[in-house]
């Protein structure tokens, strides 16, 4: 071999080594090969230990996430009304400029966000489907024309319309979820904050878009459920207004809460959240006042819904400003889940009618 030839020439003074030099060179080459084999064996052992360590870290991380989830669920029912932060200081306006500067600086760090390959591919597929969404509308109109005909009307038309409405409503929330998943693995410092706020905001976005699409002129509520035109118009207008004005503020508030998770006062997050909830209250009240089609007073059911909605929103503002941020978080999730349950029950009841 090359090692043997090199050792033979190295230990010999001429190009034709004698028998003694050959034996010395052979022993040196053997020792060199043995050392190299031992080094490769140690390297393989080290790589094996690294792989096993990575596997152990992954298993430990999953176990820690599971334990953290169980611990969080355990605390949710026991420290609901324990303040997690001090009340917002009365002199918060003095530090608002610095907090705003920190927020702008955190936004500047989003430039290094990168989507993963799988998320990018899925994003392209979703956008492609969105570009061809107009082809669904003629098909829906043909199916809606069969409603009310004796020989063509059946429950399958309503179920198909419900499925199409769900798919149309899922586009933007799914797009938001894909982007959130794609940037969650980014090395950017701001990635987990932005990803978490997108994930938290997607549920409310889906509910508002579903109500808006279901109450279209040729939508599920009017054609298949037989809801009155004025009710569908009111729901659609309310959902549209909340999408334009309230949902972006709630998204920004969710982002700020995550950015300021280590902050003591969480001033920016609480202020934006309070403004968002006050905006929701104003939209709901103005909408109910404008939706009256006659001079008759509101029904008892309408007044009950309006009163409970306003009180719940006021409770959210009070809990956040007084330091019960965790309690406000639980209450907000409860309100969104209640809205989802109410929409689901309304759809289910309309299917049974």
């Amino acid at each position: 071999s090359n090692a043997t030839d090199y050792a033979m020439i190295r230990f010999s003074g001429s190009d034709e080594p004698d028998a003694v030099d050959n034996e010395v060179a052979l022993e040196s080459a053997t020792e060199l090969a043995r050392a190299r084999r031992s080094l490769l064996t140690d390297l393989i052992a080290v790589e094996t230990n690294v792989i096993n360590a990575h596997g152990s870290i992954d298993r430990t991380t999953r176990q820690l996430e599971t334990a953290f989830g169980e611990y969080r669920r355990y605390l949710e029912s026991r420290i609901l009304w324990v303040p997690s932060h001090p009340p917002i200081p009365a002199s918060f306006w003095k530090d608002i400029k610095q907090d705003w500067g920190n927020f702008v600086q955190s936004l500047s760090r989003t430039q290094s966000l990168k989507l993963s390959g799988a998320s990018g591919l899925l994003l392209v597929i979703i956008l492609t489907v969105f570009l061809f969404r107009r082809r669904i509308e003629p098909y829906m109109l043909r199916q809606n024309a069969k409603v009310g005909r004796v020989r063509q009307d059946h429950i399958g038309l309503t179920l198909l319309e419900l499925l199409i409405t769900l798919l149309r409503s899922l586009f933007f929330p799914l797009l938001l979820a894909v982007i959130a998943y794609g940037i969650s693995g980014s090395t950017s410092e701001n990635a987990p904050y932005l990803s978490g706020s997108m994930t938290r905001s997607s549920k409310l976005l889906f509910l508002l878009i579903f109500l808006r699409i279901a109450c279209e002129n040729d939508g599920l509520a009017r054609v298949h459920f037989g809801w009155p035109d004025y009710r569908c118009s009111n729901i659609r207008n309310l959902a549209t207004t909340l999408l334009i004005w309230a949902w972006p503020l709630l998204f920004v508030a969710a982002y700020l809460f995550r950015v300021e998770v280590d902050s003591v006062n969480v001033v920016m997050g609480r202020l934006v959240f309070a403004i968002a909830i006050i905006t929701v209250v104003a939209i709901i009240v103005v909408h109910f006042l404008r939706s009256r089609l006659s001079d008759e007073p509101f029904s008892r059911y309408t007044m009950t819904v309006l009163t409970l909605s306003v009180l719940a929103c006021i409770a959210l503002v009070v809990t956040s400003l007084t330091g019960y941020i965790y309690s406000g978080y639980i209450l907000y999730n409860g309100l969104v889940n209640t809205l989802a349950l109410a929409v689901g029950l309304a759809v289910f009841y309309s299917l049974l009618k």
Side-chain angles (χ1 to χ4, degrees):
S1 64
N2 294 332
T4 305
D5 296 339
Y6 172 78
M8 292 173 64
I9 297 174
R10 173 67 176 167
F11 289 96
S12 62
S14 62
D15 295 338
E16 297 179 357
D18 55 14
V20 176
D21 292 336
N22 288 339
E23 183 177 356
V24 173
L26 181 61
E27 291 179 357
S28 300
T30 303
E31 291 295 332
L32 181 62
R34 188 178 295 111
R36 181 176 295 180
R37 181 182 300 174
S38 177
L39 180 62
L40 291 175
T41 302
D42 294 340
L43 181 61
I44 293 173
V46 170
E47 291 294 335
T48 303
N49 292 333
V50 170
I51 294 174
N52 293 334
H54 279 293
S56 178
I57 291 174
D58 291 338
R59 290 192 298 271
T60 304
T61 302
R62 288 194 294 269
Q63 293 174 359
L64 181 61
E65 291 176 353
T66 303
F68 178 77
E70 294 177 354
Y71 182 68
R72 187 187 184 95
R73 289 189 293 270
Y74 172 79
L75 292 178
E76 284 180 354
S77 59
R78 289 168 173 80
I79 61 170
L80 182 60
W81 297 111
V82 175
S84 56
H85 291 74
I88 193 168
S91 59
F92 70 91
W93 56 273
K94 296 180 180 180
D95 301 327
I96 197 70
K97 185 176 181 180
Q98 181 180 358
D99 294 335
W100 175 256
N102 296 333
F103 171 64
V104 174
Q105 184 179 2
S106 67
L107 286 180
S108 64
R109 293 194 291 266
T110 60
Q111 297 177 356
S112 59
L113 293 175
K114 294 182 180 179
L115 284 175
S116 61
S119 299
L121 180 60
L122 186 58
L123 185 62
V124 171
I125 294 175
I126 294 175
L127 291 176
T128 304
V129 174
F130 178 73
L131 293 177
F132 292 96
R133 72 190 187 281
R134 294 296 180 184
R135 297 186 177 183
I136 302 178
E137 296 181 0
Y139 176 77
M140 294 175 58
L141 293 176
R142 291 194 299 268
Q143 297 299 317
N144 291 338
K146 299 178 182 180
V147 177
R149 298 178 181 177
V150 178
R151 295 184 179 181
Q152 294 180 330
D153 193 3
H154 53 86
I155 188 61
L157 296 176
T158 302
L159 295 178
L160 179 62
E161 179 73 14
L162 176 60
L163 177 61
I164 294 176
T165 303
L166 288 173
L167 292 177
R168 292 178 61 193
S169 305
L170 277 173
F171 173 76
F172 285 106
L174 185 61
L175 183 66
L176 205 64
V178 169
I179 296 176
Y181 175 77
I183 66 176
S184 61
S186 178
T187 57
S188 173
E189 180 184 353
N190 205 30
Y193 307 139
L194 193 59
S195 175
S197 58
M198 288 181 177
T199 304
R200 292 295 181 184
S201 305
S202 58
K203 182 188 294 185
L204 180 60
L205 179 63
F206 167 75
L207 292 175
L208 294 177
I209 293 178
F210 176 81
L211 290 174
R212 187 176 183 276
I213 294 177
C215 295
E216 290 178 342
N217 292 332
D218 297 314
L220 178 70
R222 294 176 188 259
V223 178
H224 295 267
F225 292 165
W227 290 7
D229 291 342
Y230 72 90
R231 181 187 301 173
C232 293
S233 298
N234 291 337
I235 294 176
R236 180 175 171 82
N237 293 334
L238 178 60
T240 303
T241 307
L242 291 174
L243 276 173
I244 295 175
W245 297 102
W247 185 84
L249 289 174
L250 291 173
F251 173 76
V252 174
Y255 171 77
L256 288 174
F257 273 127
R258 291 185 170 272
V259 170
E260 298 178 317
V261 66
D262 297 326
S263 175
V264 177
N265 293 323
V266 197
V267 174
M268 287 289 295
R270 283 195 273 184
L271 288 179
V272 175
F273 182 72
I275 294 173
I277 298 301
I278 293 174
T279 303
V280 171
V281 173
I283 291 173
I284 293 176
V285 172
V286 172
H287 172 78
F288 270 87
L289 293 178
R290 288 183 177 179
S291 63
R292 299 183 59 181
L293 300 179
S294 63
D295 295 332
E296 298 179 1
F298 288 134
S299 64
R300 182 178 301 177
Y301 172 77
T302 303
M303 288 300 300
T304 303
V305 172
L306 177 60
T307 303
L308 291 178
S309 301
V310 172
L311 290 178
C313 292
I314 293 176
L316 281 174
V317 175
V318 173
T319 53
S320 63
L321 296 181
T322 55
Y324 294 85
I325 297 180
Y326 181 77
S327 303
Y329 169 77
I330 298 299
L331 180 60
Y332 172 77
N333 285 338
L335 288 176
V336 175
N337 293 333
T338 302
L339 176 61
L341 180 62
V343 173
L345 290 177
V347 172
F348 181 73
Y349 176 76
S350 299
L351 287 174
L352 295 180
K353 288 179 63 176

